[in-house]
Amino acid sequence: MDEPVEAGQPFPLVGRGAELDDLDRLLAATTVREGTVVLLEGEAGIGRTRLVEALAHGADVLDVDLVVLPFPGPTAAQVDGLLDGPAPHPRAVVLDDVHLADDACLDVLTRYAHAGPVPGMLLVLTERPVPHRDAVQRMVVAWVRAGARNVELRPLTPAATVELAEQLVGHPVGPLLRGVLSTAGGNPRLVTAVVQAARHAGALRRREDGVVDLHGVDWQDELDDAARAHLADLDPDVLVLLSQAAVLGPSFVVPDLAALAAQPLTDCWRTLRHALAAGIVAARGDRLVFRHDLVRTALYAGLDEGTRRRLHIRAASTLGEAGAPSHVVAGHLERAQAAGPA
Ligand SMILES: Nc1ncnc2c1ncn2[C@@H]1O[C@H](COP(=O)(O)OP(=O)(O)OP(=O)(O)O)[C@@H](O)[C@H]1O
Ligand SMILES: [Mg+2]
């Protein structure tokens, strides 16, 4: 009989070889007194912290002092003390999540930006692109002017996604689980959450051939909870608009969403900018696409039946007027009915 699956062993960094090589090269440059500043950006859970933690190995080998300070927490005096150069010994300072630094710390960082990189020091500033704060933007702009390198952590490739899942599960994974993993948009935290949710719900089974796959257990609620956690830091108006967009499908045209939400197009775009910056949706020409279908499904599931019904009815008329094919319009009317009475 199939066996249930327990947690896999601790696993190495997956799919970030190129980024780690780049950082290791900059780490090595500190030993010849070069100074560099890197702005490491990426959506929530994309693996910024995990990547900078992996610098420890190179720092050890190269005998570079490595300090990693996660925000919030460090004081302005601490930051000042660390950046005060020139570094007597090659040094790497990682300030993780600088978007959470207080204004006094940001002021110190901005002041150092005006002086430029410190010889013999690699400074890595990691940040999420949203929410925007003026003081954070000022600090980032100052470092960009000082020649900081921008490194954007991109989603894991499909192959790296499966590799990560296999590390977590400890076995090869089958097609059903791969299908769900592909809705995580290459986000390692969401990939991890999918595996954990499946395991928690008892939805993973090891087949006789050693492959682990899903079997008939309903674990949608666990999956939705995992996806909702990904949205925790977004403003309520962004969430409301995204939930409405979820009714339109995996991708949508912004004027259609504005009509559905009964908002002027410019207001709709203003709100969507935050969702774009947070990496929840991506622009593909004149339409927007949900980056992780897992998240879209959870947003949709979070709508109460009455709202879902109303939105599908409105979507049917909006899309019908905009010239969408009749089967699309009919599909919305069917889902309005499936949602039950308002
Ligand atoms: N390349 C990777 N290989 C294996 N696991 C990874 C990788 N990147 C991230 N993870 C795992 O995914 C989860 C999220 O990663 P991490 O905390 O580094 O993301 P983050 O970008 O720092 O998130 P936040 O926006 O919350 O600061 C962690 O459990 C981490 O161990
Ligand atoms: Mg982090």
Side-chain angles (χ1 to χ4, degrees):
M1 214 179 79
D2 295 350
E3 297 167 41
V5 172
E6 297 304 320
Q9 299 300 310
F11 49 93
L13 191 72
V14 169
R16 296 291 189 220
E19 291 86 349
L20 192 57
D21 281 353
D22 280 351
L23 289 176
D24 277 340
R25 250 195 308 278
L26 298 175
L27 205 55
T30 62
T31 62
V32 291
R33 310 299 302 151
E34 274 186 35
T36 318
V37 178
V38 173
L39 293 168
L40 182 67
E41 282 191 304
E43 69 185 52
I46 199 70
R48 286 169 283 118
T49 300
R50 186 66 197 262
L51 178 65
V52 292
E53 281 170 0
L55 279 177
H57 179 70
D60 209 27
V61 171
L62 294 162
D63 188 27
V64 174
D65 293 336
L66 172 67
V67 185
V68 181
L69 284 186
F71 285 92
T75 62
Q78 261 175 302
V79 174
D80 201 3
L82 277 174
L83 300 191
D84 199 15
H89 186 83
R91 179 188 293 177
V93 175
V94 177
L95 302 180
D96 196 15
D97 287 343
V98 278
H99 57 283
L100 301 177
D102 62 28
D103 285 358
C105 287
L106 293 170
D107 282 348
V108 169
L109 281 168
T110 308
R111 181 158 52 75
Y112 276 99
H114 293 315
V118 178
M121 187 188 298
L122 168 64
L123 173 62
V124 182
L125 307 171
T126 87
E127 62 150 353
R128 282 190 195 175
V130 286
H132 292 281
R133 273 167 64 205
D134 287 348
V136 176
Q137 294 311 311
R138 268 198 303 279
M139 184 274 290
V140 168
V141 165
W143 277 113
V144 169
R145 287 198 179 114
R149 292 167 188 240
N150 240 86
V151 176
E152 193 191 342
L153 273 192
R154 310 288 306 157
L156 296 180
T157 61
T161 297
V162 170
E163 190 184 336
L164 173 53
E166 294 190 334
Q167 303 267 14
L168 289 164
V169 170
H171 301 278
V173 297
L176 299 175
L177 183 54
R178 284 176 187 229
V180 180
L181 289 166
S182 71
T183 67
N187 182 297
R189 180 169 296 140
L190 286 175
V191 170
T192 307
V194 166
V195 171
Q196 279 170 353
R199 184 183 284 135
H200 184 249
L204 292 184
R205 280 287 184 279
R206 184 144 71 103
R207 303 190 317 223
E208 271 172 12
D209 61 1
V211 171
V212 168
D213 211 344
L214 299 170
H215 76 126
V217 167
D218 182 9
W219 59 301
Q220 193 59 46
D221 287 348
E222 277 92 347
L223 203 54
D224 287 346
D225 287 346
R228 269 186 218 114
H230 187 67
L231 300 164
D233 290 334
L234 288 181
D235 286 343
D237 56 337
V238 182
L239 282 178
V240 168
L241 193 62
L242 285 173
S243 302
Q244 292 169 327
V247 169
L248 289 173
S251 69
F252 57 93
V253 185
V254 180
D256 294 346
L257 176 60
L260 185 67
Q263 285 187 10
L265 191 58
T266 45
D267 291 4
C268 193
W269 264 116
R270 195 170 307 126
T271 309
L272 282 173
R273 262 200 353 233
H274 295 275
L276 275 159
I280 307 298
V281 289
R284 297 272 182 282
D286 55 358
R287 71 205 157 93
L288 295 185
V289 182
F290 277 95
R291 282 233 25 259
H292 331 82
D293 208 49
L294 187 72
V295 170
R296 182 188 78 87
T297 311
L299 284 164
Y300 185 81
L303 291 167
D304 65 69
E305 285 186 354
T307 309
R308 205 182 294 171
R309 182 179 152 80
R310 261 197 320 279
L311 287 169
H312 275 302
I313 290 173
R314 209 181 309 153
S317 64
T318 300
L319 292 171
E321 280 165 28
S326 56
H327 74 272
V328 172
V329 174
H332 279 289
L333 293 175
E334 267 166 36
R335 268 165 283 159
Q337 270 183 347

